[in-house]
Amino acid sequence: MKYKSAEFLEELSFKETRALYKSMGRSDADLKGPMIGVANSWSELVTGHFNLRQLSEFVKRGVYRAGGTAVEFGVIGACDGLASGHDGMKYILPSRELIASDIETMARAHNLDGLVMLGACDKIVPGMLMAAARLDIPAIMAVSGPMLGGAEFDERKSDSTSLAEAVGMYEAGRCGMEELERLEDTACPTCGSCSFYGTANSMGALSEAMGMSLSGSALIPAVYAERLRSSESTGRKIVELVNKGITARKIITEEALENAAAVMLATGASTNCVMHLCAIAYAAGLDPQKIFAAIDALSEKIPLVAKVNPASEYDMEAFYRAGGVPQVMKEIIKFLHTGALTVNGEPLAKNLEKFKNPYGVDRRVIKSAEEPFGREKGLCILHGNLAPEGAVTKPAAMDPSMFRFAGPARVFDGEEAANRAILAGEVEPGCVVVVRYEGPKGGPGMREMFHAMKFLYGMGLAKKVALITDGRFSGTNGGCYVGHISPEAAEGGPLAALRDGDVITIDINKKEISTALSAAETAERLKGRRAPARDVPHGWLEIYAKLASSASEGAVMKIR
């Protein structure tokens, strides 16, 4: 077949292009096969990316064995864990747009025939999938795999976020410094994406569910030999996709995104996934609002068949050994579009038919649709007079006793003020903590309220206090929380009208979040209301703040 790259490599007028490739040691034989870009986000900053240099070598081995030529390039990738709790978190969500644009630029500028995207962690996977959707060339997402769980703490294997919980316990006199220091050394025993079912592993799972990663590959732990074999298989498969002309938009369809949403709901994945699925839809030329509505509708049907930390004591290794994404999809197959095409080159139904789990199904982790963990929603879209455009919560990580929570507001204009008040013991049981002006524009950058929820847990308030925000939450957070409230306070959303003492009601069964304020009183309070001044550095963050859309639209940048 005629490869796209051949338009430049075989034309007489592009002899310079061949010379430039040869200057790096490539031969005539290298310039005959398809040019496969390997977009690698490896770094020594991010534990989820630390093994990607090795995985890249296996991908390239697969590419060459299949007759292609691998051309690797670097991609940025920032770590939520390192950025959490300070202004660095403002850059994390905006980095998704940079990642997508970076890969788009490299692939278009160099006329690549196909792409393997190597990444992990919260914004990197969705950013890469957005790039694939924009480019519409053959592409496969390959993740690094989760790390193994750490030493036991608080009756389960520990992970990186156990430290934040322990800090809260220390401040409350429930944990000593010796225990804190022990945990620091034992919570993260290997590299890989964090060992809980946070956004990183959730998005890896959803990439597989939508057909953009090899079947069964997303949850293989980072240190397993199978992770290396899967990487080589990915390299071979991308050449096959190029030869067959199977491009990203033939896979990233509405049906595929609904399959991903079904798995998201069935497993109680990170709330961030709602926003990312909408952003991927937008990049693929689909309607993000339609995907948002589909998630809302599916939440009424999909049973919760898997529970993983933070919803249970089981970590990602246990989830993988229990059957991972393929087993979950087999349990909820009646809700799926089984004819959807996947990067395996076959429809979903064929992948599931072939799947065999060598470890056997573990019903402690993955149950059947007939006897699920519960009929409650894994994730839930809420509406009401506090969130006219919607908000997101995670019942799967919530004690059922908090499915209806009402209490007086304790309002904070930013994350830092809320964190200080929680650790100082100034947040009373029964209240609803409101953290506003943390949305895409108002933050800017839509930070995660990860520390606030962990501090509440450590202070013994996890089942006594709710927290709502126009910001986001980490996938490891548990408790009664509502995020992504849209429109955000900085855009004049109702959240901006709240004052201390206003009664707020969260009702999961009714899918509502509301305040007792009347529409007239809310409008009156919003008159002349201005967002607090933010010292936004000149540069990338300033650009994102001007162009970012609502969380309900994926928080993507829009020119028009």
Side-chain angles (χ1 to χ4, degrees):
M1 66 173 293
K2 183 82 168 178
Y3 299 117
K4 186 176 181 182
S5 59
E7 296 174 14
F8 298 91
L9 293 174
E10 294 180 5
E11 291 292 327
L12 188 63
S13 58
F14 285 97
K15 280 289 187 182
E16 179 188 359
T17 302
R18 296 179 66 86
L20 290 171
Y21 272 123
K22 287 184 174 182
S23 74
M24 294 177 278
R26 292 190 174 89
S27 66
D28 287 330
D30 290 328
L31 303 182
K32 286 183 179 178
M35 303 297 288
I36 306 297
V38 180
N40 190 354
S41 57
W42 173 85
S43 79
E44 293 181 339
L45 274 168
V46 184
T47 182
H49 295 178
F50 192 69
N51 63 335
L52 292 180
R53 176 178 278 178
Q54 182 184 33
L55 297 188
S56 174
E57 292 305 312
F58 278 78
V59 168
K60 289 187 284 187
R61 181 188 298 180
V63 169
Y64 282 109
R65 282 184 172 175
T69 296
V71 284
E72 184 177 6
F73 59 91
V75 180
I76 67 162
C79 176
D80 287 56
L82 296 179
S84 185
H86 56 86
D87 278 353
M89 179 55 76
K90 294 181 179 181
Y91 286 85
I92 295 296
L93 179 59
S95 75
R96 185 190 66 181
E97 312 302 305
L98 287 177
I99 291 161
S101 299
D102 187 2
I103 296 173
E104 176 192 359
T105 299
M106 291 296 283
R108 291 269 189 245
H110 301 102
N111 220 33
L112 299 179
D113 296 302
L115 270 177
V116 172
M117 302 168 296
L118 285 169
C121 303
D122 299 35
K123 310 308 166 290
I124 293 86
V125 173
M128 288 179 162
L129 291 171
M130 289 165 64
R134 288 183 194 175
L135 290 163
D136 194 26
I137 62 175
I140 302 179
M141 182 74 233
V143 297
S144 68
M147 71 167 63
L148 302 186
E152 186 168 315
F153 174 76
D154 200 24
E155 300 182 349
R156 63 172 174 81
K157 287 183 180 180
S158 59
D159 57 65
S160 59
T161 68
S162 299
L163 274 302
E165 295 176 352
V167 167
M169 292 178 181
Y170 178 79
E171 294 292 345
R174 300 168 59 208
C175 171
M177 182 56 69
E178 186 177 335
E179 179 74 350
L180 263 178
E181 291 177 348
R182 179 190 73 85
L183 198 59
E184 181 182 320
D185 292 337
T186 59
C188 300
T190 74
C191 68
S193 49
C194 295
S195 61
F196 48 82
Y197 198 38
T199 309
N201 291 317
S202 293
M203 283 308 304
L206 267 55
S207 177
E208 182 181 327
M210 73 175 70
M212 283 298 292
S213 297
L214 293 186
S215 181
S217 68
L219 305 186
I220 303 168
V223 295
Y224 276 28
E226 182 58 28
R227 174 55 63 193
L228 302 176
R229 290 191 287 272
S230 175
S231 298
E232 184 183 350
S233 296
T234 296
R236 285 189 276 108
K237 186 60 67 173
I238 188 61
V239 176
E240 180 184 316
L241 294 186
V242 171
N243 288 332
K244 289 182 176 179
I246 299 175
T247 63
R249 289 197 184 188
K250 291 179 181 177
I251 295 170
I252 304 176
T253 62
E254 284 185 10
E255 289 76 15
L257 291 171
E258 287 179 9
N259 284 345
V263 169
M264 175 181 70
L265 295 162
T267 58
S270 167
T271 52
N272 287 318
C273 295
V274 175
M275 178 173 57
H276 294 322
L277 288 181
C278 291
I280 294 165
Y282 181 75
L286 304 171
D287 183 358
Q289 292 290 333
K290 193 171 181 180
I291 299 303
F292 191 77
I295 294 169
D296 192 12
L298 284 168
S299 71
E300 297 294 328
K301 305 174 186 177
I302 307 294
L304 185 65
V305 300
K307 273 196 172 187
V308 189
N309 178 19
S312 77
E313 69 270 29
Y314 298 106
D315 64 4
M316 292 307 300
E317 183 183 20
F319 191 14
Y320 169 67
R321 285 174 168 262
V325 175
Q327 189 63 46
V328 168
M329 297 187 90
K330 289 179 78 169
E331 303 297 347
I332 61 168
I333 194 166
K334 66 180 180 181
F335 301 106
L336 302 176
H337 302 284
T338 56
L341 185 61
T342 70
V343 292
N344 285 66
E346 297 179 321
L348 174 63
K350 184 66 71 173
N351 293 346
L352 297 182
E353 183 183 314
K354 291 181 177 180
F355 173 72
K356 288 183 176 60
N357 179 15
Y359 302 101
V361 181
D362 186 344
R363 292 301 185 191
R364 296 173 302 170
V365 183
I366 301 175
K367 294 189 179 294
S368 67
E370 291 69 37
E371 296 181 359
F373 282 101
R375 300 289 173 186
E376 73 266 19
K377 309 157 186 71
L379 293 178
C380 186
I381 307 294
L382 306 181
H383 289 87
N385 63 4
L386 274 180
E389 294 177 7
V392 185
T393 188
K394 184 175 179 177
M398 192 183 301
D399 191 285
S401 66
M402 300 187 79
F403 279 9
R404 190 182 188 284
F405 190 97
R410 183 70 197 281
V411 183
F412 299 95
D413 289 347
E415 175 189 11
E416 289 83 0
N419 289 345
R420 286 193 298 269
I422 292 167
L423 289 176
E426 297 172 2
V427 172
E428 298 290 333
C431 75
V432 178
V433 175
V434 178
V435 185
R436 63 189 179 188
Y437 298 110
E438 289 289 1
K441 289 183 179 293
M446 203 179 181
R447 289 189 290 180
E448 290 181 342
M449 303 303 109
F450 157 72
H451 277 103
M453 292 302 297
K454 291 296 182 181
F455 292 155
L456 287 171
Y457 178 89
M459 299 288 284
L461 295 171
K463 295 182 182 180
K464 301 173 183 177
V465 171
L467 192 151
I468 70 172
T469 180
D470 49 9
R472 303 179 292 116
F473 290 96
S474 165
T476 186
N477 283 135
C480 186
Y481 63 83
V482 181
H484 304 210
I485 291 177
S486 301
E488 61 177 289
E491 291 277 79
L495 215 59
L498 290 176
R499 296 174 183 168
D500 283 348
D502 290 337
V503 175
I504 295 169
T505 301
I506 301 164
D507 194 318
I508 301 301
N509 293 323
K510 291 184 178 179
K511 299 168 68 173
E512 290 181 356
I513 177 169
S514 59
T515 176
L517 291 177
S518 67
E521 189 171 1
T522 297
E524 184 62 30
R525 288 188 185 183
L526 289 174
K527 284 182 180 177
R529 174 85 185 180
R530 291 186 179 180
R534 288 278 195 264
D535 184 17
V536 182
H538 176 66
W540 166 238
L541 201 59
E542 184 180 34
I543 296 169
Y544 179 80
K546 288 184 182 297
L547 299 177
S549 66
S550 166
S552 64
E553 296 181 288
V556 295
M557 292 169 59
K558 286 188 173 182
I559 304 298
R560 52 186 181 276

